[in-house]
Amino acid sequence: DQQVKQNSPSLSVQEGRISILNCDYTNSMFDYFLWYKKYPAEGPTFLISISSIKDKNEDGRFTVFLNKSAKHLSLHIVPSQPGDSAVYFCAASSSQRSNDYKLSFGAGTTVTVRA
Amino acid sequence: NAGVMQNPRHLVRRRGQEARLRCSPMKGHSHVYWYRQLPEEGLKFMVYLQKENIIDESGMPKERFSAEFPKEGPSILRIQQVVRGDSAAYFCASSPSGGVFYPNNEQFFGPGTRLTVL
């Protein structure tokens, strides 16, 4: 029961260009969404989040867009830099139940930024 | 300011042996979470513990798996009689309080333990 899906396992982008990562979810109880970045041999690190009361959140080069009606969110990285090469995980949680600590992750998208 | 520490980083076991994975949370964090990542999949929640208490183990397989977070020492995830299907990366996360909401309740992840069952 994969409740969070990242359908693109990989993405290759040229340095300086925009990276767009997509994520879909099925559980309508999810109201808080996060993106994590993971380098090889390291744990995931928090990148950016968005609450369902918003449709956009921006932090520097990173912007997350949320389309609740489509149950879809995306992460935009502009401009892409070589250090952005990593695996990006989309994750979701629900604040409406007592188990809001429980993150549901997508399978990840491996981003490669070409020089 | 050491982050979440996990050891060993790599663990090889033969079928039927026991695997013990350790997690030391960040200083000041009393909430620990274990996640498992199978090949080609995302991380899946296994268990949430506070000191000396299991809060939610709904993601743990019913048999062979157990977890603890004693008053002193690291959190331990124990897998008895391992099978090949247990081969995965096991990640531990900690937070200052329960939840996932940034910035107050952010879960900080350790580097993971990669378990290989031969």
Side-chain angles (χ1 to χ4, degrees):
Chain A
D1 60 338
Q2 194 74 7
Q3 299 184 76
V4 178
K5 297 181 182 178
Q6 294 176 256
N7 291 322
S8 296
S10 63
L11 173 69
S12 181
V13 64
Q14 194 159 14
E15 183 179 359
R17 291 290 189 68
I18 184 172
S19 296
I20 300 177
L21 291 77
N22 293 303
C23 177
D24 297 293
Y25 61 96
T26 57
N27 189 338
S28 57
M29 297 289 286
F30 288 149
D31 58 3
Y32 190 69
F33 305 90
L34 310 90
W35 285 93
Y36 282 83
K37 180 178 180 179
K38 184 183 178 306
Y39 292 118
E42 296 183 10
T45 55
F46 170 81
L47 189 59
I48 192 169
S49 63
I50 187 167
S51 165
S52 61
I53 62 174
K54 295 185 174 182
D55 53 20
K56 176 183 174 182
N57 189 26
E58 191 172 350
D59 184 1
R61 296 185 298 114
F62 303 92
T63 303
V64 57
F65 296 91
L66 175 62
N67 182 335
K68 289 187 292 293
S69 60
K71 293 193 177 67
H72 176 85
L73 62 155
S74 61
L75 175 68
H76 292 209
I77 308 174
V78 170
S80 299
Q81 298 175 353
D84 296 331
S85 295
V87 179
Y88 290 79
F89 291 100
C90 173
S93 175
S94 170
S95 65
Q96 297 177 17
R97 297 180 292 187
S98 59
N99 58 353
D100 61 352
Y101 48 80
K102 191 180 293 186
L103 284 168
S104 296
F105 283 83
T109 296
T110 300
V111 172
T112 303
V113 180
R114 307 185 310 271
Chain B
N1 275 341
V4 178
M5 300 178 71
Q6 292 188 248
N7 67 81
R9 297 292 305 276
H10 299 275
L11 182 61
V12 179
R13 285 286 178 265
R14 296 190 181 280
R15 280 180 298 170
Q17 292 184 318
E18 179 178 286
R20 280 193 174 210
L21 289 64
R22 295 175 189 78
C23 168
S24 296
M26 285 183 69
K27 187 176 181 181
H29 287 190
S30 59
H31 299 250
V32 165
Y33 317 82
W34 285 92
Y35 291 84
R36 176 168 70 172
Q37 184 184 21
L38 295 170
E40 310 298 326
E41 296 186 14
L43 285 72
K44 285 189 167 55
F45 170 84
M46 299 181 74
V47 62
Y48 165 34
L49 310 104
Q50 294 178 27
K51 285 283 188 182
E52 301 185 277
N53 284 309
I54 297 175
I55 308 301
D56 181 351
E57 57 182 349
S58 59
M60 290 264 277
K62 296 287 182 258
E63 298 178 352
R64 302 186 298 108
F65 285 71
S66 62
E68 62 178 8
F69 189 16
K71 187 177 180 182
E72 301 291 338
S75 175
I76 306 284
L77 179 67
R78 182 184 295 118
I79 312 172
Q80 296 178 305
Q81 300 174 346
V82 295
V83 301
R84 288 216 174 104
D86 297 333
S87 295
Y90 292 82
F91 291 94
C92 167
S94 72
S95 66
S97 58
V100 299
F101 305 105
Y102 181 81
N104 296 324
N105 294 338
E106 179 187 349
Q107 291 183 15
F108 292 85
F109 283 82
T113 293
R114 184 162 298 279
L115 173 65
T116 301
V117 180
L118 302 177

